[in-house]
Structures are given as C-alpha cells and as structure tokens.
Amino acid sequence: MTELRKRGGGDRDAENISDKDTDGDDRIGVGGEGDRDSKPDTDTPEVQPSVDNTPKCLNKALAGMSSRWKNWWIRGILTLTMISGFFLIIYMGPLPLMLMVLAIQIKCFQEIITIGYRVYHSYELPWFRTLSWYFLLCVNYFFYGETVAENFGNLVQRDEPLQFLVRYHRFISFALYLLGFCMFVLSLVKKHYRLQFYMFAWTHVTLLIVVSQSHLVIQNLFEGLIWFIVPISTVICNDITAYICGFFFGRTPLIKLSPKKTWEGFIGGFFSTVMFGFIFAYLLAQYNYFVCPVEYSESNSFLIDCEPSDLFVLQDYTLPSVLQTVFRWKTVKLYPFQIHSIALSTFASLIGPFGGFFASGFKRAFKIKDFADTIPGHGGIMDRFDCQYLVATFVHVYLTSFIRGPNPSKVLQQVLVLQPEQQLSIFNALKSHLTETGMIPPAIRGP
Amino acid sequence: ESEVRTDGEAPSDSEIKPDPGVPSTVDDTPEVLNKALSGMSSRWKNWWVRGILTLAMISFFFIIIYLGPMVLMMIVLCVQIKCFHEIIMIGYSVYHSYHLPWFRTLSWYFLLCVNYFFYGETVTDYFSALVQREEPLRILSKYHRFISFTLYLTGFCMFVLSLVKKHYRLQFYMFGWTHVTLLIVVTQSHLIIHNLFEGMIWFIVPISCVICNDIMAYMFGFFFGRTPLIKLSPKKTWEGFIGGFFATVVFGLLLSYVMAGWRYFVCPVEFNNDSNRFEVDCEPSDLFQLQDYTLPSVLQSLIGWETVRIYPFQIHSVALSAFASLIGPFGGFFASGFKRAFKIKDFANTIPGHGGIMDRFDCQYLMATFVNVYIGSFIRGPNPSRVMQQLLALRLDQQLHIFNTLRAHLIDKGLLSANQEATAA
C-alpha cells in the first residue's frame, strides 16, 4: 500500500492507518448549514502521497536490507546527522544559531500554513498566501526589533537611523501590522468569507505558537548558551530514551492519541532524562563559552566572556541522611545549575510530551500523517520541534521568575529617559537605599 | 421577522436557517418602550428604539465616568466577558459543539487564566506599594509569570487529555477559536485599562471619537450618501465616511479642549497607599497646559488670528480622531465580514436595536490598541515606580554602578551640585 509511510518499526508517533478510516465521523463541524464556500469534509485531503525522498547514497548503501530495517537505519542515521548538525552549529557561535532558529521557525510556519491551505482548498486565494507571509514578516520584525533593542545596545547607540527605529519600534510594528489587517479586510471576497476568516485565524494561531515561542528560544540563548542547549538536549534525550525503554519494556499504553507510547517508556524516559540532564549540565557548566550571557561588544562581534555567576560555581551540598547511607559521601560538590537542570528535565519529560500529543491530535484531526516530508524517516521539521516549543516557553518563564533579575543596562536606559525630577527622586531613593545597605559611606553633613 | 440594521447589513443570504444556538431575532425591546411607541410604523419604531438606546448608552457612559476608575475597570471587565461569551456562543453554534461539555469549561478557564495574567501585571505595575505590604501578594507578584504559565499549562494539558476520538477537528477548531478570541478581546481590553491609568482623558476621548464617528458617518450618509464605500457594508457611503472624518476631528478638538481643563481627566490614576483609594490629582503635565501656537499663514488669512491658545493634547487628539474615523471602521468591516462568513445577523441580542455588545465594540478594540501604542511611543516614558522596583531588584554592585552613572549624569545636567555629592563613592 503506497500510503504506508516509510517510517521505522518502532514508530512512536504512528498515525495508525486504520485511524484515518474510523475517524470518518469527524466531518461534523466544518460544514454547518448553508456553507457554500468550503467543501464538505469527505473531500478532506487524504494523506499526502508519501514520496520517498531519502538521498540516493543512503538508498544504495542500504539496498540489501528489508524494508523495515531499512527504515530503522534511515531514521537512525538521520537522527545522528541532526544531532551532529546541532553540535556543529553550537560550535559556530550565537549568530549561526540565531539564523538556524529563524530558518526553523520559517519552515515550521510554512508547513502549518500549507496544511491549512490543503484543508481549506484555499490555493485559489492568492492574496492570502501573500498576507500570511506578510504577517509572519511583521511579527518577526516586531520580535527581532525588541531583541536588537535589548541586547545590541552598543550597536544601536552608534547608528542614527537605528536609534529612530528603536525608539518608535512599537508604533512602526503596529502600523505594519495594521496595514496587513486592512489589506485582509479589503481582500474579503463574497463567496469565500468563511474560508478567508479561517485562514486568518489559522495564520494567527500559528504565529502565536511558532513565532513567539521561537523568539523565547532566542531570549534563552542570550541568557547563556547553556539555557539553550540543555533544554533542547533533554527533549531529544527524552524522545530517544522513552522510545528505547518502550521498545524493551513497553506494555501499558499511555494515551489513546499516540497508541505506541507506553507508561514504561514514559517513566523510564523520565528517569533517564533527569540523569542525563544532571550529568550534561555538569559537563557544560565548566565552560565560560556556554555559561556566560551572550553580549554584543563594541567591536561588532559577539562576546561570550564573563565571571561565571554563582549558579555556575561549584558548591558543597550536604547530602540528606538517606542518600548519605546510600552513597557514603557526606557532601558533594555540585553546580547549583544542576539542581535547576532537574526541574528542566522533569518538565521536558513529564509535560513536554503533551506538546507532542497536541501535535498528534492535530494531525489526526486533519487526517495527515506528518507535517511535511522534509526529513526522511522523520517527517517535517514541525514533527521534530513540537515538544521543543513548549519547553522553550517553560525555560523562558523559569529564567525570568527564578534566575534572572532585570537587565541592568536596560534599567539604566529607562532611568535616563525619565523626566529630570523623576531622576532626582530616584537618585535620592537609591542613595538612601545604598547607604542603608552599606554600599556607600554615609554622607558627611555640611558642604 | 428580521430587523433591518440601519448601518447596512441587509440580509444577503436567504439561507439563514434557524439554529439552536444562534440568537434568533426575538424582539426583546423592553415593554415600556413598546407601549410608548406602539402607534408608529415599524420603520420609525426601529429608528426610535435605536435612538433611545443610543442615548441611554451614552448617558450610562458618562455616569460611570463620574463614578470613578474602579467602576470603570469593572465595566471594562464586564464588557470583555460579555464579548467573549458572545463570540464563543457563535463558535458553539457554528460547530454544533454543545455536546462537548469539557470545552465550555476549558474556554472559560482559559479566559480566567489570561485575565489573571493581565490583571496581575496591572496590579504589580500600579499598586506596587500595596503589593509590597501584603506578604501573600508579594509572593504572588514575584512569581506571577510562573504561576500564570502553570495555570495555562494545566488548561493546555486538560485540553490534550480531553481529545475525543471522533471530535478531534471540532475540538481543535474550538481551541483555535477560543485563543483568537482571547487575543482579540481580552488583550485589547487590558490595553484599555492601561490607557485609563494613564489618565481618564486617554480613555474617554478615543471612545467618544469612535461613537461620534459612528453617529456622524450615519448622519452624513443619511443626508448626502450616494457612492457605496465597500461591498462588505452596502449601506456605508464615501460621503458618510469623509463627512464623518471631518466631523469627528472637529468633535475631538472640542472635546479635548473641554476635558483638558479638568484634573480629574488629565491626571494619571494612582492608588494611594495610605487611604487605599484611587487618587486622581497631580500637576498637569505640559501636554495639558495652554500654549500659544502661531498659525501657519494660510490659516491666518482665513481666520484672522495670529496665534491661538490650545492644549498640545489637542494636536494629539487630531491624530486619535483621524485614526478613529479612517482606520477604526476597518474593525467594523472585519466584524461585518465575520458575521457574513458565519451567516449571523448580529453577535447577540443584548441591546435592543443594536445587537450584541460586540456589535458596539468592534471598532473600539482597534482604537484602544492604537491609543496604547501611541501613548507608549510618543507620550509616556517608563513608569518611574516600576523603574525603581527594577533597580531595587538588581544586585547591589549593579545598583552602585547605576548610582554612579546617574550621579554623573545629573551633575552634568546641573541638577546636582558636584560638591554635595563629593562624599559619595
């Protein structure tokens, strides 16, 4: 059967082929009486034709094997390729990383929008393709502008047009967005209102999910490469270890949405990921390159050098007595960051998979096997990144709540923009506060 | 018997079938009005009902302005909840998804989460002293984003767990519908509240301009209307549009002039920690002090004055009115397109003669966002108390560094004399 997607035998995200048929009743909803402008659900696009786009060389090398093992090998090789690619880009530095995040975001957006077009047969609304990409551009302009304003302060101070753009950034972004909004309203065509509104909403929800969260990824990155690497690695690790544990010990199904996931895989993945995260954090926390915030220096390049914060300095922790008897050590030297990494790994393995279930439900709802065919053996880019986005948001919220205080240069900027009387009152309040805490000696009375 | 809406949704689709969820056009004008107008023909009766309700709503608006900021915030919250409810009801009726009980709960839960997030941010910003005093409030405020995110995540996981085999697509649609509604209605209603805290005038003038534009455009269209404006709203005309524009700008100028003289409208709303009440008292900023402007020579010859005393705010009001009359209507067209797409006459039947609350507020939300962006870009600097908070949250050595930089800056500007501070650091 040509529709059998060439995916590995242990396909955890399997869209069971049978599900597509039994789900036929899902036709409720898109219609509604009198709905002339979108075809009824029975014409929903079936599974996209599964084109085999594995590269020729792999095909040759694996020519001898049976189909099932061949799939397994393709999946395995691609996994290793992607992980190596990941490490290579980390080595290359923050700027290639940012570009990679941008490229992934654009590809995910494109995949989801293409699905929307297929579902609604709205290829014939050419305006809408333009508008979707225009909205993507607007939202990215807004977010990147905020990032530049925050993190590239030096560059902005020097350049006059940049200063203007930064000062009125929100207004300019809003004006750009409004332009797209008005174009949308003007493009409403009589028989296609509902379609057009659907695509509008589809675009905006996609922007909300994909674009804003990819910018949270970049914010995490600027906090320190370790806050970018560890979460992504734990999600990847959880994927792989849950699969392996499920493969060997899997018995009890976990959730109806993804029939091949099991409780044993889930729990085994959880413990392995926590341990992996713990060890990996220990390895990375030693290097300034990973630990320091990314800064943009005067000399037009990225600078990653600093005095590591307390989080990344080895400290002694007394083990609770339970563990003392087990390990026979009294104290252990850990980075405080490793304790945070436990929180991150826990989230990645317990809550992260819900992002994957959401994507599985989405695929079932719209009767597609994969988001796209970009990666042989794995599906689309979105298939790989569905859990990542949720984890990235969590890491960002975690960072801002527990780790990072306000950015000092940003605060200084804000102070300098205030009215002079306000500056004076802040100055006096700050002076009394600093005198109280002993940072400055008390003023000697009298001139 | 369907009501003809005078601002132009003639029912174009004859396939509007009665549907259990869609609000049917029931005549729910109050008994008293019905009696008083019983003599007139149906068309005039509609006109009178609409007119009376318009006056009632405007009077109500003025009453709550008089009642103060707290009441205003409550009203904004109620309007927001009602709009959300109206739009979600439409979603249910479009998708026949009454039988997914989980989803009604989840929609309201998401509304609660997003409101909690936004109100928490507002409270932290504007009620900082109150928050610092109460211990539980302080913790809630410190970890506010984390708590909000957790609450949202709970809803998200519940949604995933609630996915039922035959209804995946429906559920995803309702999820998308809820989120887009939250994005449109809830976030923008919070921008309204931010505008309000900036000064009641920033709340009143935009809303009044939108209302004025509605009414003026209708009147100009009624008397002079000839060229249709847009296919979406067949009864709107270019004459009404342009006439409404000029009338609204003039109205905005006059209203701002009247309001800018009163502190009650002009001062930022502050929460007084000691008396636990809202305080609207301050030294009006430069924006609200009369200044002389030299008229350009064109206008000089026309009007015969050389200079004119106006508030700088009035110049801003021209920008606000221009937006309200030129771009604001796009919010209305969007809502019209939406109603046509889903084949409904009105969002609901809440207001006799006008439809639902959302019908009245469709242009307002876009306006509120514009005003907020406008204030943020051109008027308001950072909020000093918030900056102070952030300063105190920094590490001590960072504070010291900022202190020294600030000191040098202030000495530079002559606000501090150098020898007063000679002993510091």
Side-chain angles (χ1 to χ4, degrees):
Chain A
M1 195 170 155
T2 52
E3 286 174 28
L4 178 61
R5 181 102 187 86
K6 289 185 164 59
R7 294 183 61 164
D11 193 347
R12 289 162 297 118
D13 268 2
E15 301 299 306
N16 280 335
I17 305 296
S18 59
D19 173 72
K20 180 169 72 88
D21 302 314
T22 54
D23 228 353
D25 246 18
D26 233 325
R27 271 172 259 141
I28 313 170
V30 173
E33 70 272 297
D35 188 350
R36 300 281 164 85
D37 34 50
S38 66
K39 303 190 189 135
D41 229 46
T42 41
D43 291 350
T44 308
E46 311 78 29
V47 154
Q48 52 183 336
S50 47
V51 167
D52 182 13
N53 63 354
T54 48
K56 280 269 183 269
C57 53
L58 274 182
N59 262 331
K60 276 218 197 91
L62 306 168
M65 304 186 200
S66 76
S67 168
R68 185 158 175 243
W69 279 110
K70 184 173 167 195
N71 280 330
W72 199 93
W73 272 106
I74 292 177
R75 223 171 136 79
I77 291 175
L78 258 306
T79 306
L80 287 173
T81 312
M82 289 193 288
I83 293 180
S84 324
F86 180 48
F87 283 124
L88 190 69
I89 298 184
I90 291 174
Y91 176 74
M92 283 175 22
L95 193 59
L97 267 172
M98 281 175 65
L99 291 175
M100 181 189 79
V101 171
L102 178 64
I104 289 176
Q105 175 214 103
I106 293 179
K107 191 71 180 67
C108 288
F109 182 81
Q110 195 239 346
E111 285 177 5
I112 300 182
I113 294 293
T114 312
I115 293 173
Y117 290 150
R118 276 216 328 268
V119 168
Y120 295 116
H121 307 283
S122 52
Y123 285 123
E124 305 87 44
L125 300 170
W127 256 126
F128 213 78
R129 252 173 292 173
T130 317
L131 275 174
S132 301
W133 288 103
Y134 178 78
F135 282 128
L136 176 69
L137 197 77
C138 282
V139 180
N140 265 321
Y141 174 78
F142 172 68
F143 280 121
Y144 273 101
E146 299 263 308
T147 305
V148 164
E150 257 191 53
N151 296 304
F152 289 69
N154 296 326
L155 178 63
V156 170
Q157 296 303 328
R158 266 177 294 169
D159 231 330
E160 196 44 46
L162 274 188
Q163 267 202 8
F164 176 80
L165 283 181
V166 164
R167 239 199 117 191
Y168 298 109
H169 180 249
R170 292 204 170 183
F171 191 77
I172 296 173
S173 310
F174 182 64
L176 288 175
Y177 176 80
L178 262 192
L179 196 66
F181 181 83
C182 295
M183 292 312 306
F184 168 72
V185 171
L186 293 173
S187 77
L188 288 171
V189 174
K190 189 158 188 179
K191 293 211 183 308
H192 301 290
Y193 290 140
R194 191 181 286 219
L195 255 184
Q196 293 180 290
F197 271 94
Y198 278 152
M199 284 312 297
F200 184 81
W202 190 287
T203 304
H204 278 70
V205 176
T206 311
L207 284 173
L208 194 73
I209 296 179
V210 173
V211 179
S212 53
Q213 294 187 63
S214 82
H215 276 274
L216 296 180
V217 170
I218 292 188
Q219 300 278 36
N220 296 346
L221 191 127
F222 271 95
E223 194 59 28
L225 282 175
I226 201 173
W227 292 103
F228 173 80
I229 299 172
V230 168
I232 293 186
S233 311
T234 45
V235 172
I236 296 174
C237 169
N238 185 60
D239 258 359
I240 297 175
T241 50
Y243 171 67
I244 294 179
C245 290
F247 188 80
F248 288 116
F249 311 114
R251 240 186 321 258
T252 339
L254 180 62
I255 188 172
K256 283 197 290 282
L257 268 176
S258 298
K260 293 217 172 161
K261 291 200 192 290
T262 58
W263 274 103
E264 289 83 8
F266 188 69
I267 295 181
F270 166 61
F271 284 112
S272 329
T273 307
V274 169
M275 267 199 325
F276 167 81
F278 199 73
I279 297 174
F280 194 53
Y282 180 79
L283 290 175
L284 287 186
Q286 299 166 6
Y287 296 91
N288 272 2
Y289 180 67
F290 296 125
V291 150
C292 293
V294 176
E295 277 159 13
Y296 191 75
S297 70
E298 306 274 338
S299 57
N300 272 3
S301 62
F302 285 101
L303 190 67
I304 309 184
D305 198 18
C306 66
E307 198 55 45
S309 81
D310 292 336
L311 218 49
F312 301 103
V313 174
L314 277 172
Q315 288 180 18
D316 286 317
Y317 286 89
T318 326
L319 284 178
S321 35
V322 177
L323 288 176
Q324 271 189 23
T325 43
V326 171
F327 287 112
R328 271 185 282 119
W329 292 328
K330 281 237 181 74
T331 64
V332 65
K333 300 197 74 143
L334 291 178
Y335 295 101
F337 177 74
Q338 289 182 268
I339 309 204
H340 292 293
S341 81
I342 296 181
L344 299 183
S345 322
T346 309
F347 184 88
S349 32
L350 295 183
I351 311 289
F354 278 87
F357 300 149
F358 185 85
S360 296
F362 179 85
K363 286 187 283 190
R364 281 167 188 264
F366 296 98
K367 298 188 177 22
I368 53 181
K369 260 220 131 284
D370 292 315
F371 280 93
D373 269 333
T374 322
I375 312 176
H378 285 267
I381 299 268
M382 193 64 200
D383 285 294
R384 288 301 92 210
F385 282 83
D386 45 28
C387 304
Q388 296 284 3
Y389 285 122
L390 203 57
V391 175
T393 315
F394 173 76
V395 172
H396 183 83
V397 173
Y398 190 87
L399 265 178
T400 47
S401 298
F402 299 115
I403 312 284
R404 177 178 69 184
N407 183 357
S409 53
K410 192 177 185 193
V411 177
L412 183 60
Q413 266 185 339
Q414 290 187 312
V415 171
L416 294 174
V417 172
L418 288 173
Q419 304 284 351
E421 317 82 59
Q422 295 168 322
Q423 286 181 349
L424 255 182
S425 71
I426 285 188
F427 177 78
N428 288 323
L430 188 59
K431 184 158 84 129
S432 59
H433 175 78
L434 286 176
T435 318
E436 264 175 64
T437 52
M439 292 296 291
I440 52 177
I444 301 175
R445 296 273 156 219
Chain B
E1 174 72 285
S2 50
E3 296 181 356
V4 176
R5 298 200 57 207
T6 47
D7 79 345
E9 269 18 272
S12 59
D13 302 316
S14 49
E15 309 94 29
I16 301 177
K17 300 186 194 115
D19 185 81
V22 165
S24 54
T25 48
V26 166
D27 183 13
D28 61 359
T29 47
E31 277 306 300
V32 53
L33 274 181
N34 260 333
K35 276 217 197 93
L37 306 168
S38 51
M40 307 185 198
S41 76
S42 168
R43 186 156 175 246
W44 278 109
K45 184 174 167 193
N46 278 331
W47 200 93
W48 272 104
V49 169
R50 227 174 132 79
I52 289 175
L53 258 306
T54 305
L55 287 173
M57 288 194 288
I58 294 181
S59 323
F60 181 67
F61 181 48
F62 282 124
I63 289 176
I64 57 176
I65 290 175
Y66 176 74
L67 287 177
M70 194 69 198
V71 177
L72 269 171
M73 280 174 66
M74 293 285 126
I75 298 288
V76 171
L77 179 63
C78 292
V79 168
Q80 173 214 105
I81 292 179
K82 191 69 179 67
C83 289
F84 182 80
H85 172 72
E86 286 177 7
I87 300 182
I88 294 291
M89 287 304 294
I90 293 174
Y92 289 150
S93 65
V94 168
Y95 294 118
H96 308 285
S97 53
Y98 286 120
H99 328 289
L100 298 171
W102 256 125
F103 210 80
R104 253 173 289 172
T105 317
L106 275 174
S107 302
W108 290 104
Y109 178 79
F110 282 127
L111 176 70
L112 196 76
C113 282
V114 180
N115 266 319
Y116 174 77
F117 171 70
F118 279 119
Y119 273 103
E121 298 263 309
T122 306
V123 165
T124 310
D125 273 352
Y126 293 104
F127 293 70
S128 49
L130 174 66
V131 166
Q132 295 302 328
R133 254 187 318 179
E134 309 281 334
E135 190 53 32
L137 278 186
R138 208 178 58 79
I139 296 181
L140 280 183
S141 155
K142 194 167 181 227
Y143 299 110
H144 178 250
R145 291 200 172 187
F146 191 75
I147 296 173
S148 311
F149 183 65
T150 312
L151 287 174
Y152 177 82
L153 262 192
T154 311
F156 181 83
C157 295
M158 292 310 307
F159 168 73
V160 171
L161 293 172
S162 77
L163 288 172
V164 175
K165 189 157 186 178
K166 294 205 183 311
H167 302 292
Y168 290 139
R169 188 182 287 223
L170 253 183
Q171 294 180 288
F172 271 93
Y173 277 151
M174 284 311 300
F175 186 82
W177 191 287
T178 304
H179 279 70
V180 176
T181 310
L182 284 173
L183 196 73
I184 296 178
V185 172
V186 180
T187 50
Q188 295 188 62
S189 82
H190 277 272
L191 296 181
I192 292 181
I193 293 189
H194 277 267
N195 296 347
L196 187 110
F197 272 95
E198 193 60 28
M200 305 244 279
I201 199 174
W202 291 105
F203 172 79
I204 298 171
V205 168
I207 293 185
S208 312
C209 288
V210 173
I211 296 175
C212 169
N213 186 58
D214 255 1
I215 298 175
M216 290 294 146
Y218 172 68
M219 297 218 173
F220 275 91
F222 188 79
F223 288 117
F224 309 115
R226 243 189 317 263
T227 341
L229 178 64
I230 189 173
K231 283 200 288 286
L232 268 176
S233 299
K235 293 214 172 165
K236 292 203 192 287
T237 58
W238 275 103
E239 289 82 10
F241 188 70
I242 295 181
F245 166 63
F246 284 111
T248 306
V249 169
V250 170
F251 170 80
L253 277 171
L254 293 172
L255 185 70
S256 332
Y257 182 79
V258 167
M259 292 206 135
W262 301 86
R263 285 200 185 170
Y264 182 67
F265 298 125
V266 151
C267 291
V269 175
E270 272 157 38
F271 187 73
N272 189 327
N273 316 308
D274 308 315
S275 64
N276 268 1
R277 290 177 56 242
F278 283 103
E279 216 176 52
V280 193
D281 196 18
C282 67
E283 198 54 46
S285 81
D286 290 336
L287 218 49
F288 301 103
Q289 305 211 356
L290 280 170
Q291 288 179 20
D292 285 317
Y293 285 88
T294 326
L295 284 177
S297 35
V298 177
L299 286 177
Q300 271 187 25
S301 39
L302 204 64
I303 306 184
W305 290 332
E306 272 188 19
T307 64
V308 64
R309 301 200 69 163
I310 54 174
Y311 295 98
F313 177 74
Q314 291 182 269
I315 306 190
H316 290 294
S317 82
V318 172
L320 298 183
S321 322
F323 183 87
S325 34
L326 299 181
I327 312 288
F330 278 88
F333 301 149
F334 185 85
S336 297
F338 179 83
K339 286 186 284 190
R340 279 168 188 263
F342 296 99
K343 298 193 174 24
I344 53 181
K345 264 221 127 284
D346 290 316
F347 281 92
N349 263 342
T350 321
I351 312 176
H354 287 267
I357 299 267
M358 193 64 201
D359 286 294
R360 291 297 93 212
F361 282 82
D362 46 28
C363 304
Q364 297 283 4
Y365 284 124
L366 202 60
M367 186 71 201
T369 314
F370 174 76
V371 173
N372 189 277
V373 173
Y374 189 87
I375 293 178
S377 300
F378 299 113
I379 313 282
R380 177 180 65 189
N383 180 358
S385 59
R386 196 176 188 192
V387 175
M388 195 64 215
Q389 265 186 328
Q390 290 185 313
L391 260 183
L392 293 174
L394 289 172
R395 286 203 312 260
L396 285 174
D397 55 305
Q398 293 169 323
Q399 289 183 20
L400 193 61
H401 171 74
I402 290 185
F403 177 77
N404 288 325
T405 317
L406 184 60
R407 185 169 69 99
H409 174 82
L410 287 174
I411 291 180
D412 218 15
K413 294 257 172 160
L415 288 164
L416 273 183
S417 68
N419 48 2
Q420 260 182 346
E421 301 304 319
T423 51

